Amino acid sequence: MSKQLDLYDVTIIGGGPAGMYAAFYSGMRDLKTKLIEAKEELGGRMLIYPEKMIWDVGGVTPILCEKLIAQLVEQAKTFDPTIVLGEQMVGLEKQEDGTYILEAASGKRHWTRTIILALGRGILKMAKLEIEGAERYEVTNLHYTVQELEPFRGKRVLVSGGGNSAVDWANELESIAASVTVVHRRDSFGGHERNVQRMKESSVDVRTPFAVTQLHSTNKETIETVTIRHVESGDTERLDVDAVIVNHGLKADFSGINEWGLNMDEWNVFVNARLVSNLPGIFAAGDFAQYDSKITLIAGAFTDAALAVNSAKLYMDPSADRMAYVSSHNERFKEKNRALGVMDKED
């Protein structure tokens, strides 16, 4: 069966920042590369917050997330990797020669020498609000993500949750909404300290430890008021709202990849300092990879990607250089520099 397939040096599973940068860097290492993403577009978890400003990527001034995604996609395509969208990997077969065949849920198969798992948090599913009848409001004013800020302008917005996204949304909406109330069942927040402090110092009404317990509507179409309950005392209060945003975390679906024999927990695969997993020829990068000095930043995902690609190259050719030459001296960029009208001094 494998002889009917095209053999790739590296197959990257996951199209978030780690996967996209791995595709670019794999081209720098002159490897035949395939990138497979379960969704119909690249971007990974970044697609959840397209209007969020990204500040912490080295050398990049504050940039809208959707613009950063577009630039990462363009960079990923630099060396013309094969990009496959809408393919969810489920099966893995190791061949006698040490190569792998990956099987998608659709039945399609992919043949590769090495694999880089850049799965992020898997296929993410939002944890729903566990209140009877809540689903009827999902078509009107109950939201599980914020794609655009403008629809909330002048509205009374309640945000339920205490993680990074909930805090970020509260901060972004504070300047355009009529009011923003954050309801969280714990006194402490899981968001970045600086962002939590910014929220608490703003006009955002922070209610802790409270939980949303009831949604009320006279027209049965939109939420008009919400009952919140103090987690410790049991006291309740009703709040008038125009929109409710819920961020109660995410559930991961790894489509059976967690049954391949990888050393992993619920969210991560454990790798060494060079992003090598316990299975030969399989590496990891980005949020999916876990090791002692892990940095969960987009910038950290780029470093992970380069390390994983370098490890894959050395796995296939132990005599290869440990890393790619920097772009200013890398032969693969000569023609591309000429196309940009940039000539090397030696030319």
Side-chain angles (χ1 to χ4, degrees):
M1 177 65 181
S2 62
K3 301 307 179 184
Q4 301 173 17
L5 302 172
D6 200 6
L7 178 62
Y8 283 79
D9 294 320
V10 177
T11 296
I12 303 156
I13 303 178
M20 288 188 282
Y21 193 77
F24 165 74
Y25 193 82
S26 185
M28 288 182 66
R29 302 239 54 182
D30 200 21
L31 297 172
K32 185 176 180 180
T33 307
K34 178 181 285 187
L35 172 61
I36 303 175
E37 165 57 41
K39 294 182 180 178
E40 294 295 340
E41 59 183 324
L42 298 174
R45 192 176 180 183
M46 296 170 70
L47 294 168
I48 296 174
Y49 42 85
E51 292 199 358
K52 180 180 176 182
M53 293 299 295
I54 306 297
W55 288 75
D56 54 4
V57 177
V60 179
T61 53
I63 183 173
L64 275 175
C65 188
E66 61 183 359
K67 185 175 181 181
L68 181 58
I69 293 172
Q71 292 181 182
L72 283 169
V73 171
E74 183 178 358
Q75 183 184 50
K77 295 178 179 178
T78 301
F79 298 104
D80 301 315
T82 297
I83 297 177
V84 180
L85 301 177
E87 282 279 292
Q88 190 172 344
M89 296 299 101
V90 293
L92 179 72
E93 297 177 10
K94 189 172 183 180
Q95 307 300 292
E96 291 183 2
D97 60 0
T99 61
Y100 288 101
I101 290 182
L102 290 158
E103 184 172 352
S106 65
K108 293 182 180 178
R109 294 157 73 86
H110 306 268
W111 190 22
T112 186
R113 299 182 193 278
T114 64
I115 299 167
I116 295 177
L117 299 172
L119 304 175
R121 296 299 185 186
I123 299 173
L124 298 175
K125 298 178 179 179
M126 296 288 183
K128 296 296 186 79
L129 187 62
E130 296 181 356
I131 294 178
E132 186 177 355
E135 64 278 358
R136 76 162 66 100
Y137 303 114
E138 291 178 13
V139 296
T140 54
N141 63 341
L142 175 60
H143 311 271
Y144 289 99
T145 186
V146 176
Q147 296 294 330
E148 297 180 31
L149 299 177
E150 194 58 31
F152 300 94
R153 182 176 294 279
K155 302 288 182 65
R156 297 166 297 180
V157 181
L158 182 143
V159 179
S160 178
N164 277 315
S165 293
V167 172
D168 289 345
W169 290 338
N171 284 332
E172 294 293 332
L173 291 168
E174 187 262 345
S175 63
I176 69 168
S179 65
V180 177
T181 301
V182 172
V183 176
H184 184 39
R185 63 173 52 252
R186 288 182 287 275
D187 288 320
S188 61
F189 285 82
H192 293 300
E193 293 177 5
R194 188 180 184 88
N195 293 336
V196 172
Q197 190 62 30
R198 175 187 163 194
M199 176 184 69
K200 290 182 176 180
E201 292 175 351
S202 71
S203 65
V204 173
D205 182 11
V206 178
R207 303 292 190 95
T208 62
F210 277 89
V212 175
T213 56
Q214 287 182 284
L215 307 176
H216 307 280
S217 172
T218 57
N219 58 24
K220 305 300 182 183
E221 294 180 359
T222 58
I223 304 166
E224 296 164 343
T225 60
V226 168
T227 295
I228 62 174
R229 183 178 65 84
H230 194 279
V231 173
E232 297 170 357
S233 69
D235 294 340
T236 62
E237 184 178 350
R238 283 178 68 146
L239 304 175
D240 295 329
V241 298
D242 298 308
V244 175
I245 302 171
V246 176
N247 181 251
H248 289 177
L250 301 163
K251 296 180 180 179
D253 178 3
F254 292 111
S255 307
I257 289 175
N258 52 338
E259 298 176 3
W260 289 3
L262 291 160
N263 180 19
M264 61 181 294
D265 60 15
E266 182 182 2
W267 291 98
N268 306 101
V269 62
F270 296 99
V271 293
N272 67 16
R274 297 196 60 82
L275 285 300
V276 179
S277 81
N278 62 301
L279 297 183
I282 299 182
F283 312 89
D287 285 347
F288 187 56
Q290 183 59 49
Y291 52 94
D292 288 344
S293 57
K294 179 71 178 182
I295 297 176
T296 53
L297 294 172
I298 293 173
F302 300 155
T303 300
D304 282 0
L307 287 169
V309 170
N310 286 334
S311 292
K313 178 79 173 184
L314 289 166
Y315 174 80
M316 291 180 282
D317 180 8
S319 66
D321 293 328
R322 288 177 60 84
M323 60 177 286
Y325 287 110
V326 295
S327 59
S328 58
H329 294 80
N330 193 307
E331 290 292 323
R332 300 225 71 194
F333 289 97
K334 278 197 170 184
E335 288 301 320
K336 295 183 181 299
N337 287 340
R338 291 191 184 99
L340 293 172
V342 179
M343 302 297 287
D344 293 334
K345 286 185 177 180
E346 61 191 56
D347 292 337

